[in-house]
Amino acid sequence: MMRSTAQGVTDEMVDIIGRELYNGSRLVSVDGSVTVVGWDELDATIRESVRESIRWGLEKVFFMCNGLQSLEGLQVAGPECDTHPSDSAQVRLLQWSDEAIVRRAIARCHGKEMASEDMIRKVIQQGHESVLEHWYATFDIRGISRACLAQLTRHRIASYSVRSQRYCDESDAQAVVPDVPEPLRSRYKAAYRTAFGFYKELLDAGVPKEDARFVLPEGTLTDLILTMNARELRHFFKLRLAREAQWEIRELATRMLDLVREKAPNIFGDIRVEAAR
């Protein structure tokens, strides 16, 4: 039975290219002997694997020539791409300071032993936030996109330890699909499957992970450990909880605020999440 895709690639096309590529191929055995074979003499498993690679290449060409049209039903090499909803991020507070360190810092500025909780709110109202730099929090963040990570690392007074695409195999990676209408959502998923399929093909061909990663999309999920002091966190919340902020980092910032406000209400109690656009 002839197999065809939405892009018009058929098994007949694949076999024609296969015969051109493999007729007269030289196979070297482990004992050093050489056998000349044709396309039809290839082992069935090997031939089907090659077929899939040829088919994927043809579909990619059709895909580019058709200007991203007819993506629904596109057959691509590589595993099915699992996707997360927009609220996929998981945030956990690993460790945090006691507000007492801020109270002691305020007191030291005034030659005293300890300041009251009210003094924390007062110095914040006055804009004297340097004392907040003694308070810090460390977060375990999982399941944000690399696009979100790029925004997060704009905040430079912080420490980041991020899952490395140079050392980690991303063959089974997942990705964020934004809240877009159909059929655009299906096209998003098809594009992801193509990218992850090609990434896997590169690894199978012996390409190092540090080079194969260049094809991974911005939507690929990542994990990290993040540490920020309270002054930088307040600045981060001011920017990323604004209604103009991008939706994914806004959701991340909202979760982070919920966690630290519970532990340090006098430092973060005045921060509010603006209504979304």
Side-chain angles (χ1 to χ4, degrees), residues 144-153 162-165 170 176 213 216-223 248:
I144 64 170
S145 70
R146 299 286 295 197
C148 184
L149 174 67
Q151 297 178 76
L152 187 57
T153 53
V162 182
R163 175 184 172 88
S164 172
Q165 291 183 335
E170 300 288 64
V176 171
R213 62 179 168 168
L216 293 173
E218 283 274 79
T220 304
L221 296 189
T222 192
D223 308 326
E248 187 182 8

Side-chain angles (χ1 to χ4, degrees), residues 91-150:
V91 186
R92 188 159 58 104
L93 191 58
L94 296 180
Q95 59 185 19
W96 59 94
S97 305
D98 193 298
E99 281 190 341
I101 188 62
V102 177
R103 292 165 55 200
R104 188 170 296 278
I106 295 170
R108 189 57 51 87
C109 293
H110 296 277
K112 298 181 180 180
E113 285 301 314
M114 184 60 79
S116 66
E117 293 181 350
D118 289 342
M119 282 299 296
I120 297 178
R121 296 189 292 271
K122 185 174 181 180
V123 296
I124 289 174
Q125 292 171 359
Q126 294 173 341
H128 299 160
E129 296 192 356
S130 63
V131 292
L132 303 182
E133 295 174 16
H134 298 285
W135 190 99
Y136 70 92
T138 299
F139 302 88
D140 181 359
I141 300 173
R142 299 172 184 266
I144 64 170
S145 70
R146 299 286 295 197
C148 184
L149 174 67

Side-chain angles (χ1 to χ4, degrees), residues 200-226:
K200 180 66 162 56
E201 185 177 346
L202 290 170
L203 295 187
D204 290 344
V207 175
K209 290 189 286 291
E210 65 180 20
D211 294 332
R213 62 179 168 168
F214 282 87
V215 304
L216 293 173
E218 283 274 79
T220 304
L221 296 189
T222 192
D223 308 326
L224 68 145
I225 301 295
L226 163 66

